[in-house]
Amino acid sequence: MTSANLSRAETATRSAAVSVLTARVELDVTTAPDVDETGFATVSTLEIETDAAAAGSAESDVETWVDFIGESVEAVEVDGVARPVEWDGARVRITGLRGRHIVRVAARAAYSRSGEGMHRFVDPVDGQTYLYTHYEPADARRVMACFEQPDMKARYTFVVTAPAGWTVLSNQAVADRTADRGAQRVEFAETLPISTYITSVAAGPYHRVEGEWRRGDQVVPLGVYCRESLAEHLDADEILEITGQGLDFFADAFRYAYPWGKYDQIFVPEYNIGAMENPGLVTFTEAYVFRGAATVAQHEGRANTILHEMAHMWFGDLVTMRWWDDLWLKESFADYMGAHATAAVTRFPDAWVTFAARRKAWAYLQDQLPTTHPIVADIADLEAAKLNFDGITYAKGASVLKQLVAFVGEEEFFEGARQYFAAHAFGNTTLDDLLRHLAAASGRDVRAWSRAWLETTGMSTLRIERDAESAVLVQSDPRPHRLRVGLFDVRDERLVRTRTIDADIAHERTPLGEIGAADLVLANDGDLTYAKVRLDAVSLDAVEAALSTIDDALARGLVWSALWNATRDGDLPAARYLGIVRRHAGAETNSALRADVLANASFAVGHYVTAERRPQERAAWLETAWQQLAAADAGSDAQLAWARSVGSAARYDDGRVEELRGMLAGTVAVPDGLELDPELRWAWLTALATTGHATVAEADAELRRDPTAKGRTAHLTVLAARPDADVRAAAWHSAWEDTTLTNDHLSATIAGVRAGGRRDLIAAFDEAYFARIRGVWSARSIEIAARLVRGLFPEGESLDLVDAWLARNEDAPAALRRIVTEQRDHLARDLRVRAAQPS
């Protein structure tokens, strides 16, 4: 383990011996508009207090380190006295400490191109420079010298010197601003105690829309920001409306006033994740600024993310996990609260439908990998923490919290949360702290629930065995569930729920009694528990004929989920699944369900259909998408979803080349109501390039039409996707070797390499991939290295190469082995499912 990869044990020792009281961080980013300037000045002044007894000896001085990763450390002072600079590239060694001290570290940090630390972006539309920070879990040390662990909270004062005229933002409001010779010096008010990973700075000519939220005597200023060139697309009114609805909801639910002063939300370019809960300055991906038409599911997803991050103001920011083992203490709760608040107070009442179909699918996938882990995980170091922002920590955790709410009662759950906030505000906690308050508020044995759900791995699979007289609910991997079984009959050619059976189960077999001749028996109707569901033969026949006639969107979503899980497991032939999709997806009215079903169908064609049958299924899927596009109502959500699906399907089959080329050129009529916005035009052009029907000149012309950041990124994919061995080889090498590629440009290049599933063009690089991955893991940041290791993993017809690498590299970093092991499992599933297909 390098010195940059901090361990749980050593950070626990450090926080026992050293407390951080205040931190003053001065950043000079006046050099940012000059792209030849690689870094910026940063000075941290840290007020600390040491405990020699906690360090091991009350009689000796304390030795510790301050974290910093950057271009150089220029000076270190303790109480105004210069010290030798002892810096190994990640840690600044500080010795001879006893009692209270002022530690000052002057350094030079690097502007980032990977979305880690201080990311610098130059807008190709107007040449303006934009900065923002992103740290989680441990990249604050790329911007400032600090104690990079969540349990060493401090009160921060940020001082930023930036070009005059720029908007400069941080967690708190501006306390003082002075101008001098083309620059401005902005000092922000001191924060309340927070962890390093949620401190934040942004600077640049950002566009601002203002608002305000009031509750009694409390007034919270609201701000919504984006790049100036995106301002015309920023639907700030909807964002501010949802923000106000969320602050109302959480104020009532938590009964703890929003503690962070202002509430700014900024949409930033080349962002690695969906959003980040920096108190007072929440950052979001620009993908949530819709440049053209957007589906209801996209608007709902943005609302959910806004409310997810808002829940973090309490779960995560106000009360923070002690170490990353308890990451779920913020992410599981925020995922649950995001869906709960979205359904409760916004115009998206079907948020729990989306959760059941989309978030749980992520959890089910993650929980079946060999690297799955308990929700309360064993996180030994920072590299392990980085990889645990996954479907277990988020979606499975939220799923079992939903069960907990049903178990203890909603009011009791929220009362436990209120007690938790009151007892631990601005502090750090573990699992035991939360369980103690939930048990006190509910009177329930929540520790038994924790042992069954938070501290185990895997999931049950529920299925129904029935005969003419009765039915039995059977579960694999038995554990306690409180659930509902729905019984549906076909009436007037529609599947209608006729009754439900509530059941508490804990064993492998639970009798349900007489159920009659129900056409569909749906275990976990209402989505009350976390488990995969299998449909019996009679039920499968019923949904094959009439799935789209079920009125209840949640029930439809559970059926779609059951079908997809059975297909992924090789229990349902892919051809039968695709037949059901072709028959019923066109009638699906829920935006999120429709989007997920279309994506799953495309994945099934590419991964689960046998090689012999794949051309036929690819052609059939493209034709289905094309016909549904033509049949959809003008300007409808469905029309847009099917248009996007056409773009996806046309990467694998060229049956509609002439029509697509004509629509892009304006010589063939576009379906009434369909907006050929930039995203859709690039998607269709990428499909044409992938099948060899678009030229470099046409790609360049499209870039002149859309010379934005997204346009430039899409242009890279189009060029790399051309079906020429030399083109793909050049793109493959560029991904590995061109260190000037930004995070987004790297992903775009990888997408081009993989476009169309053309293994014949890239299989020659399989051995080279395995020869490179250890080197890239050592040389590049974990964000960039992980994109390469995942994105370029060879998806061939054999496991031999990956198995040989794993056998030879038992000493490889654990995080790297985890990614490779997971990619191996995905490939093994593909091979296994294809082998299970009927001939």
Side-chain angles (χ1 to χ4, degrees):
M1 184 176 72
T2 70
S3 69
N5 187 19
L6 305 178
S7 75
R8 175 179 54 206
E10 63 185 345
T11 55
T13 299
R14 179 168 68 170
S15 61
V18 179
S19 298
V20 192
L21 306 177
T22 65
R24 181 179 177 87
V25 178
E26 300 171 72
L27 308 174
D28 185 346
V29 295
T30 53
T31 61
D34 183 351
V35 295
D36 292 327
E37 287 284 350
T38 60
F40 58 95
T42 172
V43 178
S44 294
T45 304
L46 309 171
E47 182 185 6
I48 66 171
E49 188 161 20
T50 63
D51 184 341
S57 172
E59 303 303 319
S60 62
D61 292 340
V62 172
E63 175 181 323
T64 190
W65 78 93
V66 177
D67 301 295
F68 180 73
I69 297 174
E71 294 184 350
S72 63
V73 174
E74 296 166 355
V76 176
E77 296 177 0
V78 177
D79 300 326
V81 178
R83 293 283 190 90
V85 174
E86 298 180 68
W87 179 58
D88 65 2
R91 307 185 188 198
V92 180
R93 183 169 175 255
I94 310 289
T95 61
L97 301 175
R98 184 186 290 266
R100 185 170 293 199
H101 300 278
I102 302 295
V103 176
R104 182 179 182 273
V105 179
R108 183 173 174 83
Y111 293 115
S112 168
R113 301 274 286 169
S114 66
E116 301 156 297
M118 179 73 77
H119 190 79
R120 176 170 59 179
F121 174 84
V122 179
D123 192 331
V125 174
D126 55 19
Q128 297 283 2
T129 300
Y130 292 88
L131 303 175
Y132 66 86
T133 59
H134 178 68
Y135 299 148
E136 191 174 44
D139 286 318
R141 55 191 171 153
R142 296 182 185 275
V143 172
M144 59 187 181
C146 61
F147 292 92
E148 188 79 283
Q149 58 192 84
D151 64 339
M152 295 186 74
K153 290 186 171 184
R155 295 177 180 269
Y156 282 84
T157 300
F158 285 94
V159 183
V160 181
T161 304
W166 274 20
T167 296
V168 185
L169 302 166
S170 188
N171 302 89
Q172 284 293 300
V174 173
D176 183 64
R177 188 192 308 268
T178 58
D180 181 35
R181 293 178 293 181
Q184 58 177 320
R185 181 181 182 275
V186 182
E187 180 167 340
F188 294 91
E190 185 180 69
T191 71
L192 294 166
I194 55 176
S195 303
T196 54
Y197 76 93
I198 51 175
T199 62
S200 185
V201 168
Y206 284 101
H207 171 76
R208 173 184 171 89
V209 177
E210 296 181 351
E212 185 179 86
W213 177 80
R214 290 178 176 269
R215 172 61 69 93
D217 294 332
Q218 186 178 20
V219 179
V220 176
L222 308 178
V224 180
Y225 297 83
C226 71
R227 286 185 290 123
E228 192 65 47
S229 65
L230 279 179
E232 64 179 301
H233 305 295
L234 181 67
D235 46 344
D237 288 347
E238 180 174 304
I239 294 165
L240 289 170
E241 177 185 26
I242 291 163
T243 303
Q245 290 169 331
L247 288 169
D248 283 338
F249 176 84
F250 290 119
D252 291 336
F254 295 152
R255 298 177 194 166
Y256 190 110
Y258 173 75
W260 305 111
K262 67 185 178 72
Y263 200 91
D264 287 337
Q265 297 171 98
I266 185 168
F267 295 82
V268 296
E270 297 183 330
Y271 200 49
N272 287 332
I273 59 174
M276 184 62 205
E277 66 268 18
N278 315 306
L281 183 57
V282 183
T283 40
F284 294 85
T285 172
E286 282 184 348
Y288 285 130
V289 179
F290 308 129
R291 295 200 301 158
T295 64
V296 172
Q298 288 176 275
H299 284 272
E300 180 193 311
R302 182 176 65 188
N304 189 303
T305 302
I306 289 170
L307 297 176
H308 174 117
E309 302 309 322
M310 190 177 292
H312 276 310
M313 299 299 116
W314 292 266
F315 281 108
D317 294 358
L318 179 65
V319 183
T320 310
M321 69 273 156
R322 183 174 299 165
W323 177 250
W324 300 102
D325 305 66
D326 283 305
L327 175 62
W328 79 280
L329 278 173
K330 72 184 188 78
E331 295 302 348
S332 298
F333 277 87
D335 223 42
Y336 170 80
M337 289 294 175
H340 186 60
T342 302
V345 299
T346 74
R347 66 182 179 91
F348 307 106
D350 281 348
W352 283 119
V353 177
T354 306
F355 179 87
R358 182 169 293 178
R359 302 300 281 183
K360 285 184 124 175
W362 182 27
Y364 295 149
L365 184 152
Q366 193 83 39
D367 216 4
Q368 293 174 88
L369 293 172
T371 56
T372 189
H373 56 87
I375 295 168
V376 179
D378 178 22
I379 304 299
D381 55 44
L382 287 179
E383 286 194 358
K386 178 77 171 178
L387 297 190
N388 256 43
F389 290 82
D390 61 14
I392 302 299
T393 301
Y394 284 73
K396 182 179 180 180
S399 299
V400 301
L401 282 178
K402 189 181 179 188
Q403 293 172 270
L404 176 64
V405 173
F407 175 57
V408 303
E410 184 170 308
E411 177 53 33
E412 290 78 4
F413 173 79
F414 279 105
E415 179 56 32
R418 294 166 198 142
Q419 294 178 15
Y420 176 71
F421 297 143
H424 303 286
F426 307 108
N428 297 87
T429 58
T430 64
L431 167 66
D432 285 343
D433 297 310
L434 178 68
L435 294 181
R436 184 172 65 256
H437 294 293
L438 289 175
S442 67
R444 294 275 195 165
D445 182 6
V446 293
R447 294 188 183 278
W449 169 84
S450 174
R451 288 190 294 273
W453 289 103
L454 297 181
E455 301 166 47
T456 61
T457 63
M459 76 199 80
S460 305
T461 298
L462 307 176
R463 60 186 177 88
I464 302 292
E465 291 182 359
R466 56 170 162 161
D467 55 29
E469 301 297 327
S470 62
V472 175
L473 180 59
V474 181
Q475 67 161 323
S476 65
D477 190 12
R479 61 189 71 205
H481 301 268
R482 175 171 293 177
L483 54 78
R484 182 174 301 139
V485 178
L487 307 179
F488 296 72
D489 289 335
V490 175
R491 295 182 178 175
D492 297 326
E493 300 183 338
R494 303 186 68 81
L495 271 172
V496 179
R497 185 188 286 109
T498 56
R499 67 186 178 101
T500 60
I501 302 170
D502 290 331
D504 286 311
I505 68 171
H507 305 292
E508 182 178 355
R509 302 178 67 85
T510 304
L512 297 176
E514 295 184 8
I515 64 169
D519 292 300
L520 165 62
V521 183
L522 182 59
N524 198 28
D525 193 14
D527 193 39
L528 301 180
T529 195
Y530 174 79
K532 289 195 297 182
V533 172
R534 286 287 189 268
L535 300 177
D536 66 279
V538 174
S539 297
L540 183 56
D541 289 342
V543 300
E544 187 169 33
L547 190 164
S548 56
T549 69
I550 300 172
D551 286 336
D552 182 359
L554 180 55
R556 288 199 313 277
L558 295 170
V559 170
W560 281 120
S561 175
L563 294 171
W564 178 237
N565 282 318
T567 305
R568 286 192 75 245
D569 293 343
D571 290 346
L572 179 67
R576 189 174 185 185
Y577 172 77
L578 291 167
I580 295 172
V581 172
R582 286 193 289 269
R583 184 168 186 171
H584 294 289
E588 180 53 66
T589 56
N590 181 277
S591 179
L593 292 182
R594 182 192 302 114
D596 289 348
V597 168
L598 300 190
N600 289 343
S602 177
F603 192 90
V605 171
H607 291 259
Y608 300 149
V609 171
T610 62
E612 296 76 19
R613 189 177 174 86
R614 200 171 297 145
Q616 174 187 341
E617 290 289 359
R618 283 174 171 170
W621 181 237
L622 174 60
E623 195 58 25
T624 296
W626 188 263
Q627 295 302 328
Q628 290 295 336
L629 170 60
D633 291 341
S636 66
D637 196 90
Q639 184 188 56
L640 179 57
W642 284 108
R644 291 170 175 171
S645 192
V646 164
S648 174
R651 297 187 185 197
Y652 300 90
D653 186 273
D654 60 2
R656 292 290 177 175
V657 163
E658 295 306 318
E659 294 91 335
L660 290 174
R661 286 183 59 82
M663 289 183 189
L664 290 177
T667 58
V668 173
V670 176
D672 289 343
L674 181 65
E675 178 187 351
L676 271 185
D677 59 39
E679 273 72 18
L680 188 56
R681 291 186 62 88
W682 282 114
W684 285 7
L685 186 63
T686 301
L688 292 170
T690 301
T691 56
H693 297 285
T695 66
V696 172
E698 288 167 331
D700 292 345
E702 194 66 32
L703 181 59
R704 288 192 293 273
R705 182 189 186 103
D706 179 30
T708 64
K710 286 190 175 181
R712 288 176 180 268
T713 301
H715 183 256
L716 282 174
T717 299
V718 170
L719 295 184
R722 289 170 291 152
D724 177 275
D726 290 338
V727 168
R728 297 289 178 101
W732 190 91
H733 282 282
S734 176
W736 291 104
E737 298 160 11
D738 185 354
T739 58
T740 68
L741 290 175
T742 69
N743 46 358
D744 278 8
H745 289 176
L746 174 61
S747 292
T749 303
I750 291 171
V753 171
R754 300 179 65 90
R758 291 294 302 271
R759 283 283 303 157
D760 57 310
L761 298 175
I762 59 174
F765 299 107
D766 289 359
E767 291 186 2
Y769 165 91
F770 289 105
R772 287 175 180 260
I773 56 178
R774 284 199 71 162
V776 80
W777 194 265
S778 299
R780 308 291 296 274
S781 72
I782 190 171
E783 178 67 36
I784 296 299
R787 292 190 190 209
L788 287 162
V789 176
R790 288 192 182 101
L792 293 174
F793 181 85
E795 294 182 350
E797 295 297 325
S798 169
L799 299 170
D800 291 348
L801 285 176
V802 63
D803 285 345
W805 186 90
L806 287 168
R808 289 195 309 270
N809 290 273
E810 292 184 356
D811 62 336
L816 173 59
R817 282 185 60 86
R818 172 176 169 171
I819 294 176
V820 174
T821 299
E822 290 177 350
Q823 296 305 117
R824 181 207 183 276
D825 195 72
H826 294 319
L827 176 58
R829 179 180 291 269
D830 290 356
L831 298 176
R832 185 169 63 249
V833 173
R834 289 201 291 268
Q837 300 303 304
S839 56

